[in-house]
Amino acid sequence: MQTALALTGTCVLARPPAAQRRPSRAVRLACRAGSGLNSPASLIGCHSQVWVGGWEKQDIIKSVEGTKNAGFDLIEVNVSVPEEMDGKLTKSIIEEYGLKASASMGLSKKHDISSEDNEIVKAGKEHLIKCLEKVKEVGGSYLCGVNYCAMDKYPGPATAAGLKNCTSSLKELTKRAEDMGINWGLEVINRYESNVCNTGLRAMELIDDAGNPPNLYVHLDTYHMNIEESSSEHAVGVCGDKLGYVHIGESHRGYLGTGSVDFAAFFRALAKYNYQEAITFESFSSAVVSGSLSNTLCVWRNLWEDSEDLAVSANNFMRSGLQAAYKVPLVKKMK
């Protein structure tokens, strides 16, 4: 399974070629320290909103250039509002810097495909098709995130009628995505942001209920796992080869290794089940993210201001942790 599409071609922007613009010495040295790591084949990525809250031309350049200079392989872009995104410009800049692309999103209440209201479900499917088209336009092959319900706190559990709408919509939409060469990842999030999918096991049930499409996968996020899962190994093991995308985030969404997430255990779980797909860093601070997203994610605190330092630290943390985990031989049970 390919989680991202290689981006090739030449960008004709009125700026010096990316190859001629070098990152700061501190960034180069930090990235060089982890350049020889024996990590899995996974692409190591960074969410665009580590760098910016908007997506105008200057934001795209800052985000893509920062991601490249921090040593990542992939940039994850937000396609939640496809109408406000210049996909062709985004693709051209990503191509210029030699990165690969994935895309994530979150549905609003007016586009909730797990709603009992058929008009809302219809609007949601139409919106998700626009998101798929934008993923294709930017050169990506993976749409992950909260693409199965609204990313919001619900007043009660999901209803049978709502879940039926959700799974029938996923059947239809994943077929559309398959025809476009796009994989669909269901992000497992905590109970305060969804009443449909809070654990890896629940995501697997949802996939089964949707008819197990070949391009429908689970997307695990350590921030949410730290709240809901009994253990990293259990969550990763339950998903098996249906685990198609991973977000790395700390318990407070700040610097990795400064919160309560047991990353060593999670990396060991990925190694045990030979996970080889994309692994992307995600972090939010009120100093960077947009006001609307800050409210949606309840990011009230300014956890960091230096995006470059945060990203370089995260890249090295992830690569060194993966190196340690994947080099540890598995202990075979004695007969």
Side-chain angles (χ1 to χ4, degrees), residues 122-164:
K122 180 182 178 183
K125 289 191 289 186
E126 291 172 351
H127 178 76
L128 284 163
I129 289 171
K130 292 178 182 178
C131 293
L132 284 172
E133 291 170 346
K134 195 61 64 173
V135 176
K136 191 73 174 178
E137 193 175 323
V138 302
S141 62
Y142 210 103
L143 176 63
C144 60
V146 190
N147 46 32
Y148 53 87
C149 72
M151 190 169 66
D152 209 329
K153 186 173 182 178
Y154 287 81
T159 65
L163 290 173
K164 183 177 180 180

Side-chain angles (χ1 to χ4, degrees), residues 248-320:
I248 299 296
E250 188 51 274
S251 59
H252 46 48
R253 293 196 181 276
Y255 276 80
L256 299 182
T258 64
S260 61
V261 174
D262 187 346
F263 288 107
F266 182 64
F267 292 148
R268 287 195 301 269
L270 294 180
K272 178 177 180 178
Y273 294 97
N274 196 31
Y275 178 77
Q276 299 290 328
E277 308 303 331
I279 304 173
T280 300
F281 172 57
E282 183 182 56
S283 181
F284 301 104
S285 173
S286 59
V288 175
V289 299
S290 66
S292 60
L293 183 61
S294 179
N295 291 336
T296 299
L297 298 175
C298 300
V299 179
W300 316 128
R301 293 182 293 162
N302 181 2
L303 295 172
W304 46 266
E305 294 183 354
D306 190 335
S307 297
E308 180 181 273
D309 185 67
L310 175 83
V312 169
S313 173
N315 185 33
N316 289 329
F317 183 95
M318 292 162 65
R319 292 187 190 274
S320 61

Side-chain angles (χ1 to χ4, degrees), residues 165-242:
N165 283 338
C166 176
T167 54
S168 63
S169 296
L170 287 173
K171 287 180 183 179
E172 179 182 336
L173 290 162
T174 52
K175 181 61 174 71
R176 181 74 167 258
E178 184 181 14
D179 293 342
M180 299 170 71
I182 297 173
N183 290 320
W184 191 289
L186 304 172
E187 184 172 11
V188 180
I189 62 176
N190 69 75
R191 76 196 80 166
Y192 309 110
E193 298 179 21
S194 168
N195 64 354
V196 173
C197 189
N198 306 134
T199 66
L201 177 60
R202 178 68 189 113
M204 291 297 290
E205 293 171 347
L206 199 60
I207 289 174
D208 285 342
D209 291 342
N212 196 15
N215 62 327
L216 182 57
Y217 293 91
V218 181
H219 165 191
L220 290 179
D221 182 319
T222 57
Y223 166 77
H224 299 287
M225 292 172 68
N226 192 53
I227 299 171
E228 301 291 351
E229 301 285 2
S230 58
S231 74
S232 294
E233 182 174 342
H234 178 263
V236 175
V238 161
C239 297
D241 61 7
K242 270 295 186 177

